[in-house]
Amino acid sequence: MTDPNAIQPSALDQLPDRDPEETAEWQASLDAVAKAAGPHRAAYLMRRTLERAEGTGIALPKLLETDYVNTIPTSAEPSAPGDEAMESRITAWNRWNAAAMVTRGSKHGVGGHIATFASAAWLYETGFNHFFQGKEADGSGDQLYIQGHASPGIYARAFLDGRLSEDHLDNFRQESGGNGLPSYPHPRRLPWLWEFPTVSMGLGPLSAIYQARFNRYLTARGIKDVSNSHVWAFLGDGEMDEPESTAALALASREGLDNLTFVINCNLQRLDGPVRANFKIVQELEAQFRGAGWNVVKTLWGTAWDELFQLDTTGALVRRLREVPDAQVQTYQTRDAAYIRQDFFGKDPALVEMAKLLSDDKILECFHLSRGGHEARKVYAAYKAAVEFKGAPTVILAQTVKGFTLGEGFASKNANHQMKKLTVDEFKAMRDLLELPISDSQFVDGVVPYGHPGADSPEVRYLQERRAALGGPAPARRVHPVAPLPAPAEKAFASFDKGSGSQNVATTMAFVRLIKDLVRDKESGKRWVPIVPDEARTFGMESLFPSLGIYSPKGQTYEPVDRDQLMYYKEAKNGQILNEGITEAGSMADFIAASTAYSTHGEAMIPFYIFYSMFGWQRTADQMWQLGDQLGRGFLIGATAGRTTLTGEGLQHADGHSPVIAATNPAALTYDPAFAYEVAAIVKDGLRRMYGEAAPGEDPNVFYYLTVYNEPLPQPAKPSGPGIDQGIVKGLYRFNTAESAGVTVAAANAPRIQLLGSGTAIHWTLEAQKLLAEEWGVAADVWSATSWTELRRDALEADAALLRGEERLPYVRQALQGAEGPVLAVSDYMRQVPDQIAQWVEQDYSSLGADGFGLSDTREAARRHFGIDAPSIVVAALAQLAKRGEVKATAVKEAREKYGL
């Protein structure tokens, strides 16, 4: 058995020791200090020695944790500019109005959160007064990711500076009346104020990292110099449990994103109780961020603690602070001085002696009130250190009390996240604590009043002057007057109209070929942002590597192994491609940053993100919703789409439902194109709508989802005739008739059926058209259904118009009007996808699809398994016709036997 007290070998034992005698002397010195002064003193000296080594550039492993004290000692704190007393009054008004807004709203049952902003007020106010750059500042100003539950405090500040009225505040969470405020930061709901939706926990920090990275990308590519923009992400310590919150920490440090600061409000509480009841969340986060290479600034204790630390000559206080778990710190917040003397100080003789020197009031001041996150001077010092630190991103761990200043009924209570209101007496106590000039007579019928010092008061003038000096109001979202991007040359799109002849081309390759032409456009080519999660070769995009380059802030510091090849792996500081590695979440965060650059930076960028369709919506649908909320624009490309086209990979890769998930997102325009010319027509229309001249009534703040396939097949020429492009964009057009297809039907009055196919399924439909004619005497017309979802949305709008007394025919009914026979719809997805339009089709309607789990086999076998191959379509078509009496019932059985079904 290994002796646990024995010195264990380390990596250093593998290195030759040039001077064993000197090494032994150092070790003996350490042993002597530990014996004479105790192990705590020895540990202290070791930490200081390691810090000294790090400061002088000696390469040593970094300390992952430091003592549970402020990173910046009081003696090193810079003096904060401005009028702290004035800022304190402004903060008091904002605290009051945030609580009043939620309390008044609670009478309508709309809810809201009070305690979060109460803990974080100084974290925001210090930034607004001294750091956060507005839109008129150099570059694009700063980007602020506001913690969602703190939104009442942001509204309260906008009310104070005149951007919101009492009527707005009274409509918090009541938006249907037209003058309401959304519950959280929602750009789609309040587009002049909010830039970034953050309340989907974990997505805020992830997006902030990629936003800071995208800022560097824009500067490096010469699109716009935004090097002076700083990204601030305000987060909760409980939120950091979300995997997305810490998923990209290494990226931020690896690329040296010193234009990024995380401010984590460590009030030690999550929604139901302590974040780390038996541990210390600050220490855990410090180790996590330091390990990832971030600069860490801890702002834990207020100035009241200075006296205690000066009395701590033995280090007993610092040791005790490290060992007390967070839930016990929360308990101290609610207990009297006697309890704290016994439970905190009573554990160590040195602390017992220290406590004798402290009054009860002093103990209560320290443990109830004095936190680093509640003092402007402490927060200012942390922010200044963050913006001045170079070479790495910074995280500020600011300790606060959840529910601070809201009274004993709120502060540090486990349930305070769900507590939506204060009583009148609690408001009056809060008023007295904050020293606000609000009289008892202003509480009319028990309704708490809003407070405002006056539009021309010193407080409002100070607030507005500070914001003017920093570049205007914040937060603020602006859509700059950007001229529409000129349409690319028609040649890029028209080249697909003639088809591919005998050459087999997958629609994935058709899309990539289209992009190759579009990025060469002199006007808009540089605006394209190709995004791929380490699958570029799968999608045939490696030819873009040498021509566009892969973005890297370091460029290419090595000679690539394939440098002698035409399509070598080229990284460049001004590279255009964002190749993110195996991270769909990171790629989506890239896409969101690029797709909203038109508002964030006044620069229209055209992102396309291409991914395995199974791994897009299924994994990151929450981010797609964030994208829609943030009014992003661009193209999502679900490649290797369908349930039966990538069957060798098995069920986890077999996408039969991404269009279903996409259909739930109102901002997503979902298309399942069958042919290369359809891909071109949809992209062309998307560029017009999102980046060119949108038609009246068209919302440009949408994004397109196109499914493309890895099945190489001959691409037909675009049919001639009017309305083809319109049909492609609207979602349905007739590709051919039995007659125009040249199939032979024996009888002149043969039964007829309408076959609707989408994506790769149209090829089986065309094969079925031929079989029906030649073997069963049935004439079939084939329709390409490019978007089941857009057909449904148009029909829903027609239904809504009908309720308003307007007569309007859904497009799907217009298109199929007069078409003979029943309708059979086929796709490579579950039947729920084509069934979206069933209720608006006048003809008898049925569908085929790939419901259930995918499987590994050949494409042909998989399609037979799901009953969607050409023979299965024939049998289903005959069954429809037999039901109508247009073919013999025996024909269905004969067909099943003939095709071995």
Side-chain angles (χ1 to χ4, degrees):
M1 181 181 294
T2 303
D3 181 1
N5 297 313
I7 297 176
Q8 299 300 312
S10 71
L12 293 177
D13 294 328
Q14 310 303 315
L15 303 176
D17 190 342
R18 296 187 308 174
D19 193 339
E21 186 176 344
E22 181 185 36
T23 303
E25 290 174 357
W26 276 78
Q27 292 171 336
S29 297
L30 180 64
D31 293 341
V33 171
K35 184 176 181 180
H40 298 301
R41 177 61 180 170
Y44 176 86
L45 291 176
M46 287 300 300
R47 286 199 300 274
R48 292 296 176 265
T49 302
L50 287 171
E51 289 171 358
R52 177 70 173 177
E54 182 179 342
T56 56
I58 299 174
L60 285 174
K62 294 183 179 180
L63 290 171
L64 293 186
E65 285 188 37
T66 59
D67 287 326
Y68 201 66
V69 296
N70 294 349
T71 302
I72 304 170
T74 301
S75 60
E77 290 173 359
S79 57
D83 186 335
E84 187 172 335
M86 179 68 73
E87 292 173 16
S88 183
R89 291 203 297 275
I90 292 170
T91 305
W93 285 116
N94 291 340
R95 288 182 182 278
W96 177 272
N97 288 322
M101 179 196 329
V102 176
T103 297
R104 288 168 67 132
S106 68
K107 293 186 176 181
H108 303 287
V110 296
H113 300 283
I114 302 177
T116 295
F117 177 73
S119 67
W122 276 112
L123 302 180
Y124 291 105
E125 289 301 318
T126 303
F128 285 129
N129 288 324
H130 301 290
F131 291 93
F132 304 156
Q133 299 178 86
K135 293 298 182 182
E136 277 78 44
D138 189 18
S140 302
D142 289 353
Q143 288 82 54
L144 308 180
Y145 288 76
I146 305 295
Q147 190 179 2
H149 294 144
S151 62
I154 309 304
Y155 291 140
R157 193 171 215 274
F159 168 64
L160 202 64
D161 73 8
R163 294 197 290 165
L164 292 176
S165 66
E166 284 195 17
D167 188 43
H168 284 111
L169 301 193
D170 263 347
N171 282 286
F172 174 60
R173 292 193 170 196
Q174 299 173 74
E175 299 178 74
S176 60
N179 207 23
L181 299 178
S183 51
Y184 302 125
H186 291 305
R188 188 169 284 274
R189 289 288 177 237
L190 201 61
W192 61 267
L193 180 73
W194 298 120
E195 277 197 286
F196 307 107
T198 54
V199 83
S200 288
M201 287 188 162
L203 299 190
L206 179 69
S207 293
I209 290 173
Y210 280 89
Q211 181 66 57
R213 198 283 196 91
F214 189 74
N215 289 357
R216 291 281 174 85
Y217 170 90
L218 282 180
T219 302
R221 290 197 53 218
I223 302 293
K224 184 178 182 180
D225 184 358
V226 294
S227 53
N228 287 326
S229 290
H230 200 88
V231 177
W232 300 81
F234 288 84
L235 318 168
D237 47 359
E239 181 181 2
M240 300 311 293
D241 282 348
E242 290 284 356
E244 295 88 351
S245 293
T246 55
L249 298 186
L251 167 71
S253 61
R254 182 171 67 244
E255 299 203 1
L257 298 181
D258 50 25
N259 60 338
L260 170 68
T261 297
F262 276 15
V263 181
I264 303 182
N265 178 16
C266 297
N267 57 35
L268 312 185
Q269 288 183 247
R270 53 189 179 198
L271 308 189
D272 289 332
V275 178
R276 293 291 183 272
N278 296 298
F279 305 93
K280 302 191 79 62
I281 185 60
V282 168
Q283 299 299 93
E284 178 181 320
L285 290 174
E286 178 184 30
Q288 193 168 16
F289 278 86
R290 282 188 184 276
W294 285 54
N295 175 46
V296 179
V297 177
K298 293 196 291 190
T299 303
L300 308 180
W301 309 111
T303 53
W305 283 83
D306 289 348
E307 179 183 342
L308 275 66
F309 288 124
Q310 289 172 359
L311 294 172
D312 185 28
T313 57
T314 66
L317 176 62
V318 173
R319 291 196 297 274
R320 181 69 179 134
L321 288 173
R322 279 187 65 109
E323 68 189 24
V324 175
D326 283 352
Q328 192 63 23
V329 173
Q330 183 184 347
T331 297
Y332 293 148
Q333 180 69 33
T334 64
R335 299 302 179 90
D336 58 21
Y339 178 89
I340 298 171
R341 284 183 186 276
Q342 178 181 351
D343 192 85
F344 181 82
F345 292 97
K347 303 295 185 182
D348 187 296
L351 293 181
V352 172
E353 294 303 313
M354 179 189 294
K356 292 177 181 178
L357 303 175
L358 305 174
S359 67
D360 285 356
D361 286 346
K362 181 66 176 179
I363 289 176
L364 292 179
E365 180 187 13
C366 289
F367 284 85
H368 285 192
L369 302 174
S370 189
R371 298 292 188 275
H374 295 320
E375 295 190 12
R377 178 178 176 179
K378 303 290 185 184
V379 177
Y380 179 86
Y383 286 9
K384 190 171 188 291
V387 296
E388 291 179 353
F389 189 87
K390 300 303 176 186
T394 293
V395 60
I396 295 169
L397 304 174
Q399 186 160 280
T400 66
V401 174
K402 194 166 186 176
F404 190 65
T405 74
L406 297 181
E408 294 182 0
F410 261 85
S412 281
K413 300 296 184 182
N414 278 337
N416 61 20
H417 192 80
Q418 278 70 38
M419 296 163 71
K420 313 299 182 188
K421 59 185 177 180
L422 278 70
T423 65
V424 169
D425 288 341
E426 287 172 328
F427 265 110
K428 290 179 178 179
M430 181 183 176
R431 170 201 62 190
D432 296 341
L433 175 66
L434 298 176
E435 300 180 345
L436 291 172
I438 298 173
S439 65
D440 287 355
S441 63
Q442 291 178 259
F443 291 81
V444 180
D445 296 328
V447 177
V448 58
Y450 294 121
H452 200 293
D456 197 40
S457 63
E459 292 92 335
V460 173
R461 288 201 306 270
Y462 181 90
L463 181 155
Q464 292 176 340
E465 288 168 1
R466 291 305 310 139
R467 289 311 315 157
L470 288 165
R477 178 183 180 273
R478 294 187 184 174
V479 178
H480 303 261
V482 178
L485 292 181
E490 180 64 26
K491 180 181 178 182
F493 305 103
S495 63
F496 294 91
D497 291 352
K498 60 185 179 181
S500 65
S502 60
Q503 182 184 5
N504 289 335
V505 177
T507 50
T508 300
M509 283 308 305
F511 174 79
V512 172
R513 190 176 299 173
L514 174 63
I515 292 299
K516 286 180 183 177
D517 291 337
L518 293 177
V519 295
R520 295 191 188 104
D521 186 84
K522 292 181 179 180
E523 297 292 334
S524 61
K526 67 178 182 180
R527 301 282 172 179
W528 284 90
V529 183
I531 303 168
V532 60
D534 204 33
E535 289 281 5
R537 298 182 193 279
T538 301
F539 308 137
M541 291 175 57
E542 65 268 30
S543 61
L544 298 178
F545 288 168
S547 58
L548 301 184
I550 300 165
Y551 170 72
S552 170
K554 288 185 175 294
Q556 195 152 38
T557 61
Y558 60 92
E559 182 178 355
V561 67
D562 54 358
R563 182 62 183 87
D564 58 341
Q565 297 178 16
L566 182 63
M567 293 184 286
Y568 72 97
Y569 194 81
K570 177 186 175 182
E571 296 188 85
K573 291 181 180 180
N574 64 345
Q576 193 165 348
I577 301 169
L578 292 173
N579 191 321
E580 294 303 359
I582 306 174
T583 167
E584 284 80 11
S587 299
M588 266 307 301
D590 265 339
F591 188 89
I592 291 170
S595 70
T596 53
Y598 73 92
S599 61
T600 307
H601 296 298
E603 296 289 344
M605 305 300 289
I606 313 171
F608 78 86
Y609 164 35
I610 187 166
F611 51 88
Y612 270 46
S613 67
M614 185 67 162
F615 300 151
W617 288 88
Q618 178 163 297
R619 291 191 178 185
T620 57
D622 198 12
Q623 286 178 288
M624 272 75 163
W625 199 267
Q626 179 190 15
L627 167 65
D629 192 358
Q630 201 167 318
L631 292 86
R633 306 169 183 175
F635 297 94
L636 297 176
I637 309 299
T640 61
R643 182 146 279 165
T644 68
T645 60
L646 196 65
T647 52
E649 300 284 357
L651 66 89
Q652 289 185 341
H653 288 63
D655 171 28
H657 56 279
S658 70
V660 178
I661 307 175
T664 65
N665 191 312
L669 277 61
T670 302
Y671 288 90
D672 186 26
F675 306 123
Y677 66 79
E678 294 178 351
V679 172
I682 294 164
V683 171
K684 178 182 177 182
D685 187 71
L687 290 172
R688 175 200 60 80
R689 177 169 178 172
M690 295 184 292
Y691 300 97
E693 297 285 356
E698 276 187 328
D699 182 4
N701 299 315
V702 295
F703 59 94
Y704 284 63
Y705 175 53
L706 279 70
T707 51
V708 293
Y709 298 83
N710 69 325
E711 188 169 15
L713 292 165
Q715 294 295 324
K718 184 177 180 179
S720 59
I724 298 297
D725 282 347
Q726 180 192 39
I728 291 172
V729 173
K730 284 184 171 291
L732 183 68
Y733 69 96
R734 183 156 50 193
F735 176 71
N736 68 19
T737 63
E739 292 74 19
S740 65
V743 295
T744 303
V745 182
N749 59 345
R752 186 174 290 269
I753 190 169
Q754 309 299 317
L755 301 179
L756 279 57
S758 69
T760 197
I762 203 168
H763 296 284
W764 329 323
T765 307
L766 289 168
E767 186 181 345
Q769 178 189 46
K770 185 177 180 181
L771 292 174
L772 282 167
E774 294 178 353
E775 299 184 7
W776 304 98
V778 173
D781 300 338
V782 174
W783 300 69
S784 180
T786 53
S787 180
W788 309 102
T789 302
E790 288 304 297
L791 291 173
R792 175 179 175 81
R793 287 177 178 169
D794 172 79
L796 289 172
E797 289 173 7
D799 286 356
L802 188 62
L803 292 176
R804 296 191 300 267
E806 304 170 17
E807 288 292 339
R808 184 182 148 195
L809 203 61
Y811 174 78
V812 65
R813 188 167 293 176
Q814 294 178 43
L816 291 172
Q817 203 165 40
E820 297 178 40
V823 170
L824 175 61
V826 188
S827 85
D828 201 18
Y829 298 95
M830 55 196 302
R831 289 174 60 182
Q832 188 174 339
V833 175
D835 284 351
Q836 290 180 87
I837 66 170
Q839 71 185 85
W840 292 282
V841 176
E842 290 183 314
Q843 295 88 342
D844 293 337
Y845 186 89
S846 62
S847 64
L848 295 176
D851 286 76
F853 287 109
L855 74 165
S856 296
D857 211 315
T858 64
R859 289 171 179 151
E860 293 75 15
R863 287 161 189 167
R864 175 57 58 92
H865 169 80
F866 287 112
I868 53 177
D869 61 351
S872 299
I873 295 172
V874 169
V875 172
L878 293 174
Q880 278 283 82
L881 293 168
K883 192 184 300 183
R884 295 159 57 94
E886 296 181 21
V887 300
K888 295 179 180 179
T890 56
V892 181
K893 180 181 179 183
E894 291 173 15
R896 282 201 302 266
E897 293 174 351
K898 178 180 179 70
Y899 301 127
L901 296 179

